[in-house]
Amino acid sequence: MTDVEQNTAPTARTAVAEERARQRERFGGAKIGAAFFGWLVAIGMTVLLSAVAAGIGAAVGQTVALDPAGADAAAIGLTGAATVLVVLTLAYLAGGYVAGRLARFDGTRNGILTWLLGMIITVLAGLIAAAVGSNSDLVARVRLPAFPGDLATLTIGGLIALAVLLVVTLLAAAVGGRLGERFHRRVDRSGLTPEK
């Protein structure tokens, strides 16, 4: 590297950093559109990964009948919880990544916004289902599996599992958003290296 190239490299980096700061001020922040499309990707990944997990479970003989008499409820519950955790973590990682890529700036914030949008829509869908379900006989027609254990244990374990699920998926969405934003930083840095 010549003396001229060494002297112009810091100047070019400074100019790029100043331009990036100006762009971030103008275009940064939370982007609802990016979060929405990140959420759509998270939903799509959830469906695809759930199908893969169900296929793998069927291939290794982990099918569970609606009446799980004789089945080990603890093993089924632990395997199911771990599967749900892995599926949703990967789904929100991908959703956060998409939100971070689309937003260009503030990837972590947009990944978290993707997760928050998912939680709001999930709660609204649950409330709508509860309202519609209480007024129709659809719920009475569906025969749900009975839990073959202590209901108090299920409640405490379920609350702990829900808390772990929420925290892990939130972190996955934030990390995914940061990874999506990093792509743009690599593109910005590539303009600083001279082509050969």
Side-chain angles (χ1 to χ4, degrees):
M1 186 178 254
T2 67
D3 290 337
V4 173
E5 289 175 337
Q6 287 177 350
N7 290 335
T8 58
T11 306
R13 283 191 192 109
T14 304
V16 168
E18 289 172 357
E19 179 63 21
R20 183 177 176 277
R22 187 186 65 74
Q23 289 174 349
R24 185 176 187 278
E25 183 179 321
R26 183 173 178 200
F27 299 109
K31 304 293 181 193
I32 297 295
F36 175 74
F37 285 107
W39 172 73
L40 286 180
V41 167
I43 293 298
M45 287 296 293
T46 300
V47 170
L48 290 173
L49 292 173
S50 296
V52 169
I56 290 171
V60 297
Q62 290 295 321
T63 58
V64 179
L66 285 178
D67 186 17
D72 183 11
I76 291 170
L78 186 60
T79 303
T83 302
V84 168
L85 182 66
V86 168
V87 165
L88 289 177
T89 299
L90 291 175
Y92 273 103
L93 182 72
Y97 180 83
V98 168
R101 280 287 299 266
L102 288 175
R104 182 157 167 53
F105 299 102
D106 300 315
T108 302
R109 179 183 299 169
N110 286 289
I112 291 171
L113 189 59
T114 296
W115 178 87
L116 186 61
L117 182 64
M119 294 304 112
I120 290 169
I121 292 174
T122 300
V123 168
L124 288 176
L127 291 174
I128 290 170
V132 169
S134 65
N135 295 330
S136 71
D137 63 342
L138 178 64
V139 176
R141 292 182 188 185
V142 177
R143 185 172 167 229
L144 297 174
F147 183 71
D150 184 10
L151 194 56
T153 305
L154 174 66
T155 303
I156 293 169
L159 289 175
I160 291 170
L162 179 62
V164 168
L165 182 69
L166 291 175
V167 169
V168 170
T169 55
L170 174 63
L171 291 174
V175 168
R178 182 71 179 160
L179 292 174
E181 180 187 355
R182 282 186 57 201
F183 171 81
H184 294 288
R185 301 301 74 81
R186 287 196 331 251
V187 170
D188 292 344
R189 282 192 306 270
S190 72
L192 296 177
T193 58
E195 294 184 22
K196 295 183 180 188

